[in-house]
Amino acid sequence: MNAVFLVLVVVSFLVAAFAELSGGAGAMEALSAGLIDAVAGAVPLALGLVGIMALFLGLMKVAEAGGLLAAVARLLEPALGRLFPEIPAGHPAMGAMVMNVAANLLGLGNAATPFGIRAMEHLESLNRHKGTASNAQVLFLAINTAGLTLLPTKVIALRAATSSVLPAAIVAPTLIAGLVAALVGVLAARGLQGVWQPRRDEDAALPHQAPGPLWPCIAALAGVLALAAAMLAWGKVLGPWILPSLVVGLLLYGAAKGVRLYESFVEGAKEGFEVAVRIIPYLVAILAAIGMVRASGAMDLLIRPLGRLTEGLGLPAEALMMAALRTLSGSGSYGMLAASLKDPAIGPDSYLGALLSTLYGSTETTFYVLAVYFGAVQVRRIRHALAVGLLADLAALVTAVIVCRLLFGGLP
């Protein structure tokens, strides 16, 4: 992250300085304002996470005390064990990762982050090289940055609000692009782990068991797909029930297992508060760099000329801008998507509108995810995690273009 942080800041400064010296009065003033606005928003953002972290890490503690995470880990261990050979059988990291992935699949981004941080904490407890990302941590982040979701509810809601004829038409391309991104992320994480500061001692250092049968995993996947079909058919009715049902279900499970609900919840909530405070410096750093990139015009300077070259391939400058902005800022990319879908020249049902919607739904804020997840466990040397995340984003971009050209009429 040291090199990434330095490059983002220096490039932003050089672009703004060049613009200022070339007669673009106000470029440095805009850079200063963008920097101050970005860092000023870091603490409110972290404080806004306190309640969310406290709620879901409290629920996680109840689920952990009741044995739910261990049960989920045993159910999916045959599949996860093949992906994560570094993790011993029955380790709670498995259950936490499953909860994180499930929350992402269902579009519960607020719940996914606390679950993901808990998973990173468990993975860090297995890490023999503290402060340096392990192979398992990089692979887990690769799955997260792939942005795989069964039902992109925010995008569907926005398309419906902008008078789309078929708001849910982007479900299939979003799922396909997310699956390809996840696959590329997993392959890249495994392929680069021996190139980027090799850690071959990890696999040999931990106990292994032969993977069990895959039929429980297949049954669980069938259940998830059935839920996705139900959400697609009755999303407006079922959507508001998901979060309250998750809270009540976890508490009822804990009560049935004899867990002291209030004490366990409060214990986990305290950890959530500590995590939210701990990530503030990392948020300040990454948001400062991102704010400078956006305010300096560095992104636009690169994307606009490149977009003129790729437009004939079905990848106009607006799509490139969305792909780049999505890796940096969730709110910024969502704002761009909303403005584009409201623009009469684009609209939600055009090829470009569908492509922008698919890109938003099938990618993640890679830099933010890396900063928050690694910052929560004090990992400073991220090895190949950024390269893997960007490769997954690129795979999602290419796949989104291909699928949207097939489904929504080719070139814009």
Side-chain angles (χ1 to χ4, degrees), residues 269-344:
K270 288 179 180 177
E271 296 177 10
F273 178 82
E274 293 169 359
V275 168
V277 172
R278 192 162 66 235
I279 64 177
I280 289 178
Y282 299 90
L283 282 177
V284 170
I286 197 65
L287 291 179
I290 291 171
M292 292 183 70
V293 169
R294 295 177 62 186
S296 68
M299 186 186 304
D300 190 68
L301 186 66
L302 173 65
I303 295 300
R304 291 297 174 186
L306 186 59
R308 286 193 287 270
L309 297 176
T310 60
E311 188 168 4
L313 301 174
L315 188 58
E318 292 83 357
L320 281 175
M321 185 69 74
M322 169 61 76
L325 187 58
R326 182 64 173 140
T327 66
L328 298 171
S329 171
S331 58
S333 56
Y334 188 76
M336 179 185 173
L337 177 63
S340 299
L341 296 186
K342 292 175 183 176
D343 186 346

Side-chain angles (χ1 to χ4, degrees), residues 4 125 263 289:
V4 173
S125 70
E263 288 85 351

